[in-house]
């Protein structure tokens, strides 16, 4: 209080110094009395003006609540918040009704010292017994004060920004400012907007500095970017140390820097960056919110000389009449409280302090007008330490409950919302440092991402081009920095490449004998180099050879890929196939060439000179099935015609011959026997159709074999390799051997490995019996190379087993995989891919076998005719079944006897072998004409064919009339001519006429 009275006296003295010279010149006693009266009135007025602000009103009806204020008054930010705290309490008391609660602030200066801040907190809690504390502003100071607040149940409202201070773990902690982690998504969105893939974070070695790093790293990973390097500066670092670190950063490839420093250290950093040439074109600098929000605290000469083109983000504070009026009051009050300081501007921390104190005052006002009890002391008389003697607050829980979830809609900073003790994020404003100040170029909100303006200060209204405003980059450039440069030094990516003695068209590794430099050529190496050039940043690399054909260790491609997991290589490039088993421990890019597994076999000689070529149009199983059906159809026809057709009767050998003759004669439609049964006709109609299709197909296939020149493989089915016990060749170190052992059940002892295309040719030429192989199994890229060279000797057969193709392998979770995969797509869509394929695989038009689809046999198989045989079999079987059912029905009296089954079957067989009488019945009364004796004569001639040998052998044709004078027409498919006479033998036992 004495200090404020002294200020009042000083003010009056200044006024007296201004008025006294004029009054004393008058030499009037009344003037002396006037001077004393003015001094008295001034002191009384100032006393009544100051005391209500500090809660020291003489009104005994007001309930006083003590609140502690801990700020670093030696810092500019602390002074800004100090003025806001005073004005907030002044406004609260001015709007409060008479007799309401009066908040008595107790301001303590922590003097930039953690111990001093802790001591001030203990004093306020023990001696003053405050009910709440606003501050401290430093994260390290706040950490211990929060523990004290939890212990005594007193709310701690702090503007500390470190994310390490968590609200969930501290029930009496209210964060009155945005944590530094809330801006990380805005920074990531800015990085994504310019397609930067890597950034360098520069932060100070303190909880304020390193608290943001893990959150920023996670936010960048979500957009497929990463923190390539972390530069840590000590708060006490000198200029030489800063310059040394900047030179180190300049050796890296990344040219995007995120600066998370306080103003004093940041201004020195930018001065040295200018000196190191890092504020020129091609560099990008981004400041975090704290530095951008208090940019006016940085020396203007530093801004103009060393910070031009820097980007910054800060919480967006909407302008309003209330804020404008408050800013004027704040500036006036600042000059009163700190008359010896240069004028500084109000910032977000001052506004948050005002709104935070306002929320605290409203929470205190909800306690009512009853007296607020002091802290409850522990019930013990033992000697206690200062911490043990603090006691606990009886109203702290009410205060914290009132403040943990509350909203100040008309706050100076906008919608000041506290949810679960945490200040909710504001929209972020993106600014560009130009001249002496900043220029707004856009905004970021979590809902709408980046936009060039905000509508009504709340909703982002995106621009048509979805871009930020015009930006001036370091070096007065308007071109967006690409974010990387070729570094002067730095770690190179270690690329493992397979070293093998053959198939150099795909990958070939050479080492210079003098410089020991490793170079890689071939299709895979050329594609990789082009992909690296397509990346939006530099990626230095070096090739490291990995021998595949080492006779001692016998390594394969799996061992090469495993070198990534052992951290011997950073990536693997070459003819490495993407496999599910390999993807369990590495990540592959998208394939840059399609692949698959197939088989190559030798081409056999021209079959047209083969004497047995007429058998080749049909497969053996089709020949057998066709022959079986010929016999079966012949048997069915014999059964159906045996009882009713004399041509299917006679001696057993004749009947067997008839079965084969009749069925096979249908092959050329040469059967002359007539059939009488409708069932037989039905069977023959179907069978003749089947024969027609078979003969037509056979003729077409044989014609093709004899007239069309083809390259026919020696083997068309992989199963033939297993049946014949053939050896199979494969590429040394390849995985295809395991595929065929697992899928096709090949004998592992039947595989032989080779290295070059010439080895393939030699092995196939010799064959399995002469130490070679009968087939080569490999991936399509290798087989294409082989067939381009030996296309007239070998051919690809069988099905192709799909594979994912060749890809580049990287460590699991590598951020390079998405970028490299996108670059692979770019390369594959361009003209480069066609040129590199032409370069290494050559022109395939010179080979007569251009179509590399799988070759199959030209012989017709049973599968193509299963339907026909099924129809023929069903129709013949159905006819046979109907015949037997009808036959058994006609002879059911035999089945009804009491004889044994064998006797019944024998009787049935005898009846079946007997000829069925199909003659038409004559007139019941024999005619008296000569014609009436004809039946008897015929019967007699049949009974005794040797009677009357002297009669001529030929007699006129005898026709049996049906009573109408017409002869019955011949039935069936008989080809007998109608004019053939009937030869009869007249017996000598003739009945009397």
């Amino acid at each position: 209080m004495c200090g404020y009275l002294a200020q009042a006296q000083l003010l009056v003295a200044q006024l007296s110094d201004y008025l006294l010279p004029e009054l004393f010149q008058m030499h009037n006693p009344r003037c002396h009395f006037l001077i004393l009266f003015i001094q008295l009135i001034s002191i009384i007025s100032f006393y009544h003006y100051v005391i209500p602000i500090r809660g020291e009103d003489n009104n005994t009806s007001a309930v006083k609540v003590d609140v502690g204020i801990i700020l670093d008054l030696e810092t500019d930010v602390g002074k800004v918040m100090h003025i806001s705290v005073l004005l907030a309490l002044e406004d609260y008391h001015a709007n409060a009704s008479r007799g309401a609660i009066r908040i008595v602030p107790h301001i303590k200066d922590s003097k930039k010292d953690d111990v001093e801040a802790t001591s001030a907190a203990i004093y306020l809690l023990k001696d003053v017994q405050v009910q709440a504390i606003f501050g401290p502003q430093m994260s390290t100071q706040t950490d211990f004060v929060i523990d004290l607040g939890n212990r005594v149940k007193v709310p701690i409202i702090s503007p500390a920004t470190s994310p390490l201070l968590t609200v969930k773990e501290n029930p009496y902690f209210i964060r009155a400012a945005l944590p530094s982690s809330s801006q990380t998504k805005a920074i990531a969105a800015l990085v994504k907007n310019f397609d930067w893939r890597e950034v360098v974070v520069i932060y100070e070695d303190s909880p304020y500095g390193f608290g943001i790093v893990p959150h920023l790293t996670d936010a960048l990973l979500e957009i497929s970017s990463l923190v390539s390097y972390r530069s840590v500066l000590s708060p006490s670092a000198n200029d030489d140390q800063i310059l040394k670190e900047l030179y180190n950063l300049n050796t890296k490839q990344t040219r995007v820097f995120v600066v998370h420093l306080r103003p004093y250290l940041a201004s020195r950093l930018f001065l040295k960056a200018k000196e190191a040439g890092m504020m020129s074109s091609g560099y990008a600098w981004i400041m975090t919110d704290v530095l951008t929000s208090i940019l006016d605290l940085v020396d203007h000469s530093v801004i103009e000389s060393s910070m031009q083109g820097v980007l910054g983000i800060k919480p967006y504070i909407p302008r309003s009449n209330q804020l404008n009026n408050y800013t004027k009051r704040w500036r006036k009050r600042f000059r009163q409280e700190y008359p010896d300081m240069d004028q500084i501007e109000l910032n977000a921390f001052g506004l948050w302090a005002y709104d935070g104190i306002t929320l605290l005052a409203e929470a205190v006002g909800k306690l009512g007008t009853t007296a607020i009890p002091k802290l409850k002391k522990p019930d013990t008389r033992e000697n206690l330490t200062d911490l043990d003697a603090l006691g606990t607050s009886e109203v702290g829980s009410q205060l914290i409950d009132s403040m943990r979830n509350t909203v100040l809609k008309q706050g100076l900073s906008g919608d000041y919302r506290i949810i679960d003790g945490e200040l909710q994020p504001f929209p972020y404003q993106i600014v560009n440092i130009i001249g002496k100040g900043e220029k707004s170029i856009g905004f970021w909100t979590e809902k709408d991402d980046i936009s060039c303006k905000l509508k009504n200060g709340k909703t982002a209204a995106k621009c048509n081009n979805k871009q930020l405003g015009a930006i001036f980059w370091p070096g007065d450039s308007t071109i967006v920095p690409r974010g990387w440069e070729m570094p002067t030094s730095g770690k190179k990516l270690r690329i493992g490449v397979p070293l093998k003695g053959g198939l150099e068209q795909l990958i070939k590794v050479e080492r210079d004998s003098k410089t020991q430099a490793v170079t890689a050529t071939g299709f895979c190496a050329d594609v990789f180099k082009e992909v690296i050039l397509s990346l939006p940043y530099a990626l230095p690399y070096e090739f490291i050879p990995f021998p595949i054909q080492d006779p001692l260790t016998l390594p394969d491609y799996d061992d090469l890929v495993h070198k990534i997991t052992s951290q011997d290589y950073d990536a693997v490039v070459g003819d490495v196939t993407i496999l599910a088993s390999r993807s369990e421990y590495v990540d592959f890019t998208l394939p840059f060439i399609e692949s698959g597994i197939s088989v190559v076999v030798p081409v056999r000689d021209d079959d047209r000179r083969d004497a047995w070529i007429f058998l080749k149009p049909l497969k053996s199983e089709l020949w057998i099935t066709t022959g079986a059906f010929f016999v079966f159809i012949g048997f069915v026809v014999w059964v159906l015609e045996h009882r009713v057709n004399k041509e299917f009767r006679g001696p057993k050998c004749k009947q067997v011959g008839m079965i084969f003759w009749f069925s096979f004669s249908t092959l050329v439609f040469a059967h002359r026997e007539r059939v009488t049964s409708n069932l037989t006709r039905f069977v023959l109609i179907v069978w003749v159709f089947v024969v027609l299709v078979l003969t037509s197909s056979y003729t077409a296939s044989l014609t093709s074999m004899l007239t069309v020149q083809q390259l026919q493989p020696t083997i068309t089915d992989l199963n033939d390799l297993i049946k014949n016990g053939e050896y199979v060749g494969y590429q040394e170190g390849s995985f295809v051997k395991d595929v065929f052992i697992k899928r096709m059940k090949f004998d592992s002892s039947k595989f032989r490995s080779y290295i070059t295309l010439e080895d393939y040719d030699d092995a196939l030429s010799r064959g399995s019996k002469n130490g070679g192989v009968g087939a080569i199994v490999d991936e399509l890229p290798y087989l294409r190379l082989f067939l381009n060279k030996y296309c007239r000797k070998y051919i690809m057969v069988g099905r192709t087993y799909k594979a994912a193709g060749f890809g580049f392998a990287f460590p699991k979770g590598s951020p390079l995989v998405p970028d490299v995969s996108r670059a692979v797509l770019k390369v594959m869509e361009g003209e480069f891919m066609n040129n590199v394929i032409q370069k290494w695989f050559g022109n395939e038009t010179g080979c007569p076998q251009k179509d590399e689809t799988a070759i199959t046999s030209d012989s017709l198989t049973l599968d193509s005719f299963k339907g026909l045989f099924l129809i023929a079999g069903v129709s013949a079987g159905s006819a046979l079944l109907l015949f037997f059912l009808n036959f058994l029905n006609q002879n059911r009296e035999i089945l009804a006897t009491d004889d044994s089954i064998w006797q019944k079957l024998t009787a049935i067989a005898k009846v079946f072998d007997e000829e069925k009488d199909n003659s038409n019945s004559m007139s019941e009364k024999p005619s008296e004409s000569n014609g009436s004796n004809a039946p008897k004569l015929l019967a007699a001639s049949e009974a005794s064919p040797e009677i009357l040998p002297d009669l001529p052998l030929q007699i006129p044709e005898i026709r049996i009339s049906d009573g109408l004078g017409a002869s019955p027409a011949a039935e069936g498919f008989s080809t007998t001519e109608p004019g053939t006479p009937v030869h009869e033998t007249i017996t000598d036992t003739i009945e009397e006429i």
Side-chain angles (χ1 to χ4, degrees):
M1 184 62 201
C2 295
Y4 291 105
L5 291 177
Q7 292 181 7
Q9 292 175 356
L10 178 61
L11 180 62
V12 173
Q14 293 175 350
L15 182 63
S16 299
D17 291 340
Y18 176 78
L19 296 176
L20 283 178
E22 299 293 334
L23 294 175
F24 280 139
Q25 291 179 359
M26 300 179 182
H27 302 286
N28 192 334
R30 293 183 179 179
C31 292
H32 293 281
F33 175 78
L34 179 62
I35 292 172
L36 294 176
F37 180 76
I38 291 174
Q39 289 179 341
L40 179 62
I41 295 299
S42 300
I43 294 174
I44 295 174
S45 299
F46 188 82
Y47 178 81
H48 282 277
Y49 172 76
V50 173
I51 294 305
I53 297 177
R54 287 153 179 79
E56 298 176 6
D57 193 3
N58 292 327
N59 188 356
T60 57
S61 62
V63 177
K64 298 180 181 179
V65 178
D66 296 309
V67 173
I69 310 294
I70 303 177
L71 298 171
D72 285 330
L73 296 180
E74 295 182 5
T75 65
D76 293 339
V77 175
K79 294 172 182 176
V80 169
M81 290 192 290
H82 174 222
I83 301 302
S84 294
V85 167
L86 296 179
L87 291 178
L89 293 176
E90 177 184 336
D91 292 345
Y92 173 75
H93 291 147
N95 295 327
S97 61
R98 186 169 185 83
I101 292 178
R102 312 296 295 180
I103 297 177
V104 181
H106 300 270
I107 301 174
K108 302 293 291 183
D109 185 5
S110 62
K111 301 178 181 179
K112 297 183 180 181
D113 185 73
D114 297 350
V115 177
E116 192 72 28
T118 304
S119 177
I122 294 176
Y123 166 78
L124 293 172
L125 294 172
K126 178 183 177 183
D127 297 336
V128 182
Q129 297 191 18
V130 294
Q131 301 297 332
I133 293 178
F134 181 88
Q137 69 192 63
M138 303 295 294
S139 300
T140 53
Q141 300 172 6
T142 306
D143 192 11
F144 187 74
V145 174
I146 289 175
D147 293 335
L148 293 177
N150 294 335
R151 185 165 185 168
V152 298
K153 298 181 180 180
V154 169
I156 306 297
I157 303 95
S158 172
T161 61
S162 175
L164 301 178
L165 303 175
T166 59
V167 174
K168 294 181 179 180
E169 297 177 359
N170 300 284
Y172 285 86
F173 173 47
I174 300 292
R175 194 191 302 273
L178 290 178
S180 57
S181 58
S182 65
Q183 64 183 315
T184 54
K185 290 186 178 180
I187 296 175
L190 195 60
V191 171
K192 181 181 180 181
N193 187 73
F194 298 112
D195 292 327
W196 294 327
R197 297 303 178 191
E198 295 182 357
V199 301
V200 173
V201 181
I202 304 175
Y203 59 95
E204 67 177 54
D205 189 11
S206 67
Y208 162 80
F210 52 70
I212 192 178
V213 175
H215 300 276
L216 180 59
T217 302
D218 293 341
L220 291 173
L221 285 177
E222 290 180 1
I223 63 167
S224 301
S225 297
L226 71 154
V227 176
S228 61
Y229 185 76
R230 301 178 182 181
S231 177
V232 185
L233 295 178
S234 172
S236 60
N238 55 40
D239 291 347
D240 292 337
Q241 292 173 329
I242 295 174
L243 191 60
K244 180 181 179 181
E245 181 62 21
L246 288 172
Y247 283 138
N248 177 46
L249 295 179
N250 213 20
T251 62
K252 314 291 183 184
Q253 69 172 12
T254 307
R255 292 295 181 263
V256 181
F257 305 98
V258 177
V259 180
H260 186 59
L261 301 173
R262 280 180 276 223
Y264 173 71
L265 189 57
S267 61
R268 294 166 55 207
L269 172 75
F270 284 110
L271 282 173
K272 294 303 173 183
K274 179 72 173 181
E275 182 180 335
M278 298 175 67
M279 296 303 298
S280 58
S281 177
Y283 290 84
W285 297 82
I286 302 175
M287 300 182 299
T288 56
D289 60 351
V290 172
L291 181 57
T292 309
S293 298
I294 57 178
L295 188 63
D296 62 293
L297 302 182
V298 179
D299 192 339
H300 288 181
S301 62
V302 176
I303 296 177
E304 291 186 70
S305 65
S306 305
M307 296 181 66
Q308 296 300 297
V310 176
L311 300 182
I313 64 170
K314 64 179 182 178
Y316 172 66
I317 307 298
R319 305 304 301 179
S320 63
N321 293 331
Q322 180 187 6
L323 178 59
N324 293 334
N325 295 332
Y326 175 78
T327 302
K328 295 177 182 178
R329 290 176 53 208
W330 185 91
R331 288 173 179 171
K332 180 179 180 181
R333 188 59 177 274
F334 186 87
R335 287 193 297 267
Q336 293 175 357
E337 294 290 337
Y338 303 102
D340 298 333
M341 277 190 63
D342 294 335
Q343 181 65 48
I344 59 178
E345 295 298 326
L346 178 64
N347 53 48
F349 289 95
L351 298 178
W352 288 337
Y354 183 95
D355 291 340
I357 290 295
T358 302
L359 281 182
L360 174 61
E362 291 181 354
V364 171
K366 295 177 182 179
L367 297 178
T369 57
T370 57
I372 305 299
K374 298 293 184 179
L375 299 184
K376 184 179 180 180
K377 298 294 183 179
D379 297 332
T380 178
R381 296 182 179 180
E382 298 178 1
N383 294 329
L384 300 177
T385 62
D386 289 342
L387 293 179
D388 295 331
L390 291 179
T392 57
S393 172
E394 296 184 9
V395 298
S397 59
Q398 300 179 34
L399 285 175
I400 200 67
D401 291 340
S402 298
M403 296 188 64
R404 285 188 67 84
N405 293 280
T406 185
V407 177
L408 188 63
K409 292 186 177 181
Q410 295 182 351
L412 291 178
S413 60
D415 289 343
Y416 191 84
R417 294 178 297 127
I418 301 290
I419 297 179
D420 294 331
E422 193 87 55
L423 179 61
Q424 296 306 294
F426 285 67
Y428 277 94
Q429 185 179 12
I430 305 172
V431 299
N432 186 202
I433 306 302
I434 301 175
K436 296 182 180 180
E438 61 188 35
K439 171 190 173 184
S440 177
I441 58 174
F443 300 89
W444 177 89
T445 60
E446 190 167 5
K447 178 181 179 181
D448 299 310
D449 203 58
I450 287 181
S451 58
C452 60
K453 62 181 180 179
L454 289 178
K455 184 178 180 181
N456 299 327
K458 295 181 180 180
T459 305
K462 294 187 176 181
C463 302
N464 294 330
N465 56 6
K466 297 183 180 180
Q467 293 180 351
L468 296 169
I471 301 176
F472 289 91
W473 300 96
D476 295 330
S477 174
T478 57
I479 301 175
V480 177
R482 59 180 178 177
W484 60 272
E485 294 290 344
M486 293 298 294
T488 57
S489 65
K491 181 182 177 181
K492 295 182 178 180
L493 212 62
R494 298 166 299 171
I495 307 296
V497 287
L499 175 62
K500 52 187 181 179
L503 297 170
E504 297 177 346
Q505 294 89 339
L506 288 169
I507 188 73
K508 180 181 179 181
V509 182
E510 295 177 321
R511 186 186 294 273
D512 190 283
S513 58
K514 296 182 179 179
T515 63
Q516 298 300 309
V518 177
T519 58
T521 57
F523 173 77
C524 299
D526 286 359
V527 172
F528 175 74
K529 294 173 184 176
E530 185 68 18
V531 166
I532 294 301
L533 293 177
S534 301
L535 291 175
Y537 49 83
L539 193 64
Y541 60 88
E542 59 180 349
F543 291 118
I544 302 176
F546 179 83
I548 294 294
Q549 286 86 21
D550 192 334
L552 298 178
T553 59
L554 296 176
D556 56 14
Y557 280 79
D558 288 337
D559 297 324
L560 171 60
V561 175
H562 269 295
K563 287 291 184 179
I564 296 179
T565 58
S566 61
Q567 298 183 355
D568 293 326
Y569 300 151
D570 298 316
V572 167
V573 171
D575 49 345
V576 181
T577 305
I578 302 172
L579 298 178
S581 58
R582 294 172 182 170
S583 64
E584 293 180 357
Y585 49 89
V586 296
D587 281 345
F588 285 97
T589 63
L590 292 175
F592 56 88
I593 187 173
E594 293 183 356
S595 184
I597 305 172
S598 193
V599 181
V600 166
V601 298
V603 174
R604 65 188 178 188
D605 296 333
D606 193 353
D607 288 335
R608 291 180 294 181
R609 292 175 290 181
D610 189 355
W612 301 98
I613 190 174
F614 67 91
L615 294 176
K616 294 186 177 180
L618 305 183
K619 282 283 189 179
S620 58
E621 64 269 17
L622 183 55
W623 278 117
I624 295 172
T625 304
T626 303
F629 261 83
F630 272 117
V631 176
F632 173 65
I633 296 298
F635 172 75
V636 173
V637 172
W638 174 80
V639 171
L640 298 177
E641 294 291 325
H642 177 66
R643 299 188 67 219
V644 297
N645 196 332
K646 290 183 179 182
E647 295 182 4
F648 289 86
R649 299 186 63 80
K652 294 181 179 179
C653 58
K654 177 186 176 182
Q655 296 183 47
V656 173
M658 180 59 67
I659 291 175
F660 286 94
W661 155 253
F662 184 85
S663 60
F664 282 97
S665 64
T666 59
L667 184 63
V668 292
F669 308 102
H671 54 283
R672 299 176 63 86
E673 294 76 18
R674 68 177 184 177
V675 294
T676 60
S677 173
N678 287 331
L679 292 176
T680 307
R681 294 167 184 166
F682 168 70
V683 171
L684 285 179
I685 288 174
V686 176
W687 177 244
V688 168
F689 174 73
V690 173
V691 171
L692 176 63
V693 174
L694 281 173
T695 54
S696 301
S697 302
Y698 173 85
T699 303
S701 180
L702 182 60
T703 302
S704 175
M705 289 183 176
L706 292 175
T707 59
V708 180
Q709 182 181 2
Q710 295 179 337
L711 298 178
Q712 292 297 331
T714 55
I715 297 173
T716 59
D717 193 347
L718 297 182
N719 291 321
D720 294 339
L721 293 173
I722 302 176
K723 294 177 183 177
N724 301 334
E726 295 278 357
Y727 283 90
V728 178
Y730 71 100
Q731 185 184 166
E732 179 71 36
S734 177
F735 70 98
V736 297
K737 174 183 176 182
D738 297 331
V739 173
F740 274 80
I741 291 176
K742 293 178 180 179
R743 293 187 182 181
M744 301 295 296
K745 308 301 180 183
F746 270 83
D747 185 358
S748 60
S749 62
K750 293 294 183 180
F751 282 88
R752 291 172 176 170
S753 61
Y754 301 98
I755 299 175
T756 65
L757 299 180
E758 291 74 16
D759 292 341
Y760 282 179
D761 175 50
D762 179 67
L764 288 172
S765 300
R766 286 187 282 120
S768 297
K769 297 180 180 180
N770 298 317
V773 294
I776 293 292
V777 294
D778 212 335
E779 295 181 79
L780 291 181
Y782 308 111
L783 295 183
R784 288 195 182 101
L785 290 172
F786 181 65
L787 292 178
N788 284 345
K789 189 173 183 180
Y790 303 101
C791 61
R792 299 182 183 275
K793 298 175 62 177
Y794 308 104
I795 198 168
M796 196 181 302
V797 299
R799 59 175 295 189
T800 298
Y801 297 93
K802 287 294 183 180
F806 294 165
F808 305 128
F810 288 87
K812 201 75 173 175
S814 172
L816 292 175
V817 174
D819 292 344
V820 176
S821 294
R822 280 188 285 268
V824 166
L825 292 178
K826 283 184 181 179
V827 171
M828 292 183 67
E829 293 172 358
E831 186 63 25
F832 171 84
M833 206 65 183
N834 295 329
N835 296 334
V836 76
I837 290 177
Q838 177 70 25
K839 175 183 177 181
W840 293 107
F841 289 92
N843 192 348
E844 301 179 6
T845 58
C847 182
Q849 184 64 31
K850 298 178 184 178
D851 186 8
E852 294 191 3
T853 55
I855 301 297
T856 58
S857 174
D858 286 337
S859 300
L860 300 175
T861 63
L862 178 61
D863 294 336
S864 303
F865 300 94
K866 283 182 177 179
L868 284 175
F869 286 122
L870 179 62
I871 295 173
V874 170
S875 60
S878 301
L880 194 62
L881 178 61
L882 290 175
F883 169 79
F884 277 117
L885 291 176
N886 184 48
F887 175 74
L888 294 176
N889 182 55
Q890 293 175 354
N891 299 276
R892 57 185 177 273
E893 66 276 1
I894 298 177
L895 300 176
T897 62
D898 295 334
D899 296 338
S900 63
I901 296 178
W902 178 252
Q903 290 174 338
K904 292 180 181 180
L905 292 177
T906 302
I908 291 294
K910 288 180 180 180
V911 173
F912 174 76
D913 192 51
E914 293 176 357
E915 183 179 4
K916 182 178 181 181
D917 186 10
N918 288 331
S919 60
N920 294 330
S921 60
M922 299 294 103
S923 179
E924 292 182 359
K925 295 182 179 180
S927 176
E928 295 180 354
S929 65
N930 294 335
S932 62
N933 296 325
K936 296 182 178 180
L937 180 60
L938 290 174
S941 65
E942 289 180 0
S944 302
E946 297 179 359
I947 298 179
L948 303 175
D950 294 336
L951 293 177
L953 293 176
Q954 294 184 351
I955 63 174
E957 180 181 358
I958 299 176
R959 298 180 181 272
I960 301 175
S961 175
D962 57 359
L964 297 174
S967 301
E971 297 179 346
F973 293 148
S974 175
T975 58
T976 304
E977 296 179 2
T980 304
V982 179
H983 301 279
E984 298 182 352
T985 305
I986 304 175
T987 64
D988 47 293
T989 52
I990 303 175
E991 296 183 0
E992 293 183 357
I993 301 176

